[in-house]
Amino acid sequence: LKLLESQRRVAGHWVLKSPAHLWNLRALLAVIPNARIVVTVRDPLATVASACSLYAAYHGSTAASIEADRMGPGLAESLAKGLTRGLETAAQDPERVRVVRYEDLVARPIDTVRAIHAGFGLPFPPAFERSARAWIEANPQGRHGVHRYDLESYGLDEETVERLFEVPRRMADLAAGQV
């Protein structure tokens, strides 16, 4: 981020969307102590299927062939571990890491973002709210179509995913009450 910012100064703050940070939030906070992180927790059945689809597309763009039905179990286990690590950091540092349910963000985006700001002690000015409402109106969910995916194509079933995410789901339920 420092390298990117050295190329082009950012007015205000960075906003990133990447679950890849979950495994190393402590390191990120050590390097960028004024960072504020929002961990968005979504139904693992949808999350894992979506991630498998994304990884298969990435892998397929550079490989002659892929075995999609073999990639799911390892990826699901890795995602569960990453979420667990991210939620552990949130529990240890709630002043800098907040947990939000995806469903809340979709159902009540303005209220949820306002609560995030309040939790971090950040202002939520009327101009920001107007801008957010305009963006939401111009970018409805599904605007570019619906991406369909399933667990079975990646060698997974609901029972396996539910078992892998049992602990992080309980952790997320406890943490999501903070926002």
Side-chain angles (χ1 to χ4, degrees):
L1 292 177
K2 290 178 181 183
L3 176 64
L4 289 173
E5 193 163 284
S6 73
Q7 302 299 311
R8 180 174 170 217
R9 186 77 183 141
V10 173
H13 59 271
W14 285 91
V15 176
L16 307 173
K17 178 186 176 194
S18 176
H21 295 89
L22 284 173
W23 287 262
N24 297 297
L25 293 182
R26 284 188 197 108
L28 189 150
L29 290 167
V31 173
I32 308 171
N34 62 339
R36 298 298 175 264
I37 298 167
V38 178
V39 176
T40 306
V41 180
R42 184 178 174 202
D43 172 25
L45 299 175
T47 301
V48 170
S50 176
C52 285
S53 177
L54 179 64
Y55 280 66
Y58 284 158
H59 188 69
S61 70
T62 60
S65 67
I66 62 168
E67 296 179 26
D69 61 325
R70 295 185 64 199
M71 70 184 301
L75 181 56
E77 186 175 340
S78 177
L79 291 170
K81 287 179 181 177
L83 181 56
T84 300
R85 284 183 66 168
L87 292 170
E88 287 169 348
T89 303
Q92 295 165 358
D93 198 348
E95 297 300 315
R96 297 190 296 166
V97 184
R98 310 294 287 183
V99 178
V100 173
R101 289 185 182 94
Y102 175 80
E103 294 78 18
D104 293 339
L105 188 59
V106 171
R108 296 177 308 284
I110 298 299
D111 292 340
T112 303
V113 172
R114 183 182 289 117
I116 291 166
H117 280 235
F120 287 143
L122 298 172
F124 193 80
F128 179 80
E129 182 173 342
R130 285 190 301 275
S131 176
R133 287 187 188 281
W135 189 91
I136 291 165
E137 187 176 318
N139 295 281
Q141 190 171 27
R143 177 179 132 191
H144 299 290
V146 178
H147 183 179
R148 302 207 186 283
Y149 37 75
D150 62 85
L151 293 170
E152 294 75 21
S153 296
Y154 305 101
L156 289 165
D157 57 63
E158 289 185 12
E159 182 180 320
T160 300
V161 173
E162 292 289 359
R163 181 180 43 77
L164 288 169
F165 281 82
E166 185 177 344
V167 170
R169 184 176 276 196
R170 280 197 312 267
M171 293 172 71
D173 287 344
L174 290 172
Q178 66 179 267
V179 172

